[in-house]
Amino acid sequence: MEVRRVKVLVSRYAKMRYNYIKRMLSGYNIKIDNKKYDAILVFGGDGTFLKYAALYHDKPILAVKSTSAESKLLGSRGFTIEVTDADLPKVLRAISEQNFYIKEEPLLKLRYMNKEYITAGDFYIERGNIRSALRYKLRVSYHGKETEIWGISNGVIITTPLGSTGYYAYVDILNKKRPKRINGLGVAHILPTYVIEMCGKTRRQGNVREVFPIESKITLTFDRGARQYLYGPTLPERGIAVENGKELTFKIASERLKLIALHAK
């Protein structure tokens, strides 16, 4: 695959780096074209990358983590992104020489109230009333088996492997550990006071976080809520109100995210 034209998407915290990116691209005969392009260059942190990854998953994406002082000050972590702006010359040289490959990542699809949403990272539902906890039931179906989970917590996170170093990893971050990528669909309860799992006739104490096979289908229903809201990288900042008793269904999409990756030396 040849990449000669790219669409450039820059985080609002890294806009001062746009001219630098433009100069670097021109040095390797790669033009910026936001209408007709072979690939997309996303420059910023995890949030910026995951937002645009869901919106532009039909084209190969190169994600570059900004290491500017402003980005660091404003809390950009970028655990998901491996390439930094310091690596840009090496990466662009490899792209200009076609010395790269396309790595595919799963996308997570959510269906709620006859509407579908997609993310490369995670969806999470949090309480809107801080004086009440959320009460809910999860049903996870995989390999002909079914696990039911009952929880009381401040919220629930459903994540892809790519998004698992983000909000899903809050326990690691609180314990000052570097987040580790999971291999499957992740479910995390946000500050739970009660988690019980039932698999067949086996009842056991549930975990704060659990990983299920990537092909799992997950349904989530709130029994008694606290004005819960659904959030995700491409959803409105204010979230989407979720009604009690209405089912949310999560499963891996048929589409795949395409990422530009360099061959290991």
Side-chain angles (χ1 to χ4, degrees):
M1 175 186 174
E2 188 176 25
V3 176
R4 290 301 176 198
R5 295 174 297 181
V6 298
K7 182 182 183 75
V8 176
L9 301 167
V10 181
S11 162
R12 58 182 174 176
Y13 302 125
K15 286 189 179 295
M16 74 292 294
R17 304 288 280 167
Y18 183 85
N19 288 333
Y20 164 75
I21 297 169
K22 187 176 181 179
R23 288 196 306 271
M24 292 298 301
L25 288 169
S26 64
Y28 293 94
N29 296 318
I30 300 174
K31 296 180 180 180
I32 295 177
D33 190 331
N34 291 327
K35 293 184 178 180
K36 295 181 179 180
Y37 47 89
D38 305 308
I40 296 169
L41 191 155
V42 178
F43 197 86
D46 283 353
T48 302
F49 163 57
L50 292 172
K51 174 184 176 180
Y52 290 126
L55 294 174
Y56 296 97
H57 60 267
D58 59 324
K59 290 286 188 178
I61 295 177
L62 172 64
V64 180
K65 176 169 59 178
S66 172
T67 57
S68 68
E70 185 177 7
S71 293
K72 290 180 179 179
L73 182 64
L74 292 170
S76 179
R77 304 305 297 262
F79 287 121
T80 302
I81 305 172
E82 297 177 357
V83 177
T84 70
D85 46 8
D87 300 320
L88 201 52
K90 177 181 69 175
V91 174
L92 293 180
R93 183 182 300 110
I95 290 175
S96 68
E97 296 172 353
Q98 299 183 43
N99 188 23
F100 66 93
Y101 67 100
I102 302 299
K103 179 173 68 173
E104 293 191 346
E105 291 281 356
L107 294 163
L108 180 61
K109 185 173 285 187
L110 161 64
R111 186 172 180 84
Y112 173 65
M113 299 287 281
N114 296 320
K115 291 186 178 181
E116 290 188 342
Y117 309 91
I118 198 165
T119 182
D122 58 17
F123 289 111
Y124 56 97
I125 302 92
E126 289 192 350
R127 59 182 183 168
N129 182 356
I130 62 173
R131 295 189 297 176
S132 301
L134 300 179
R135 296 171 183 263
Y136 50 87
K137 176 183 176 181
L138 286 151
R139 187 169 67 250
V140 186
S141 305
Y142 56 96
H143 300 164
K145 300 178 181 179
E146 188 168 279
T147 297
E148 293 185 330
I149 306 170
W150 289 266
I152 302 175
S153 74
N154 289 357
V156 188
I157 305 162
I158 313 291
T159 187
T160 65
L162 190 64
S164 62
T165 56
Y167 199 2
Y168 176 86
Y170 80 91
V171 175
D172 298 322
I173 295 169
L174 289 175
N175 289 311
K176 299 180 179 180
K177 296 180 180 179
R178 184 174 179 83
K180 293 182 179 180
R181 177 181 166 123
I182 63 173
N183 184 25
L185 277 185
V187 175
H189 308 273
I190 304 170
L191 302 178
T193 57
Y194 177 91
V195 180
I196 292 294
E197 291 188 11
M198 181 75 74
C199 186
K201 296 183 179 180
T202 304
R203 177 187 173 96
R204 63 175 182 265
Q205 179 70 38
N207 300 312
V208 174
R209 297 181 297 178
E210 192 152 355
V211 181
F212 294 95
I214 195 70
E215 60 271 24
S216 298
K217 177 183 177 182
I218 300 175
T219 59
L220 169 62
T221 309
F222 290 90
D223 298 324
R224 191 181 82 195
R227 297 203 308 270
Q228 56 271 2
Y229 289 87
L230 167 69
Y231 300 94
T234 59
L235 300 182
E237 289 188 6
R238 65 181 181 277
I240 296 173
V242 175
E243 296 182 22
N244 292 337
K246 299 294 185 180
E247 196 172 80
L248 299 97
T249 304
F250 305 84
K251 63 179 182 179
I252 291 301
S254 58
E255 308 95 323
R256 290 290 185 269
L257 174 65
K258 306 173 187 67
L259 298 178
I260 294 176
L262 302 188
H263 294 287
K265 293 184 177 181

